[in-house]
Amino acid sequence: MLKRLSAFSRLILLDRRGTGLSDRIDTNHLPSLETRMEDVRAVMVAAGSGRAALLGASEGAPMAMLFAATYPERMRALVLYGGYAHFYKWVMPPERLDAFIEMAETAWGTGCHLAAFRAWPG
């Protein structure tokens, strides 16, 4: 998907603070949506991007919506993919959420989470 997008546009990728190559963050003080939104604006400024089509995927969807509402003059388009308003209601029931979060903290990136999503009957 990213290769196809970059074939006809300038593609700027941004992972949320604390992931990818960025410095780790204190998990007891996670950045707010507003802070993450300002990170997007800062990257756009640094890259010389005046207006952009913003793709917000998964938990990035609410941040992308907030960015579009706060900075409409910086937007060409807003694309949301796999966003959700109520994770516990649509993705995973509350009785499994705590175990999922604990597993995410210790084993994220190993592939063990795939089974958790396949097991959900939704």
Side-chain angles (χ1 to χ4, degrees), residues 20-64:
L21 296 176
S22 67
D23 293 336
R24 297 295 154 239
I25 57 174
D26 180 356
T27 56
N28 295 315
H29 299 94
L30 297 175
S32 66
L33 280 180
E34 291 80 7
T35 298
R36 293 175 54 206
M37 174 189 69
E38 289 302 324
D39 289 347
V40 171
R41 190 188 62 73
V43 167
M44 287 179 69
V45 168
S49 177
R51 293 179 66 216
L54 188 60
L55 167 62
S58 187
E59 68 181 66
M63 185 277 307

Side-chain angles (χ1 to χ4, degrees), residues 81-105:
Y81 174 77
Y84 46 82
H86 298 284
F87 185 87
Y88 68 90
K89 184 176 180 184
W90 299 107
V91 179
M92 187 173 297
E95 58 273 8
R96 290 192 34 230
L97 185 58
D98 287 339
F100 179 83
I101 291 171
E102 183 177 329
M103 183 173 48
E105 290 175 347

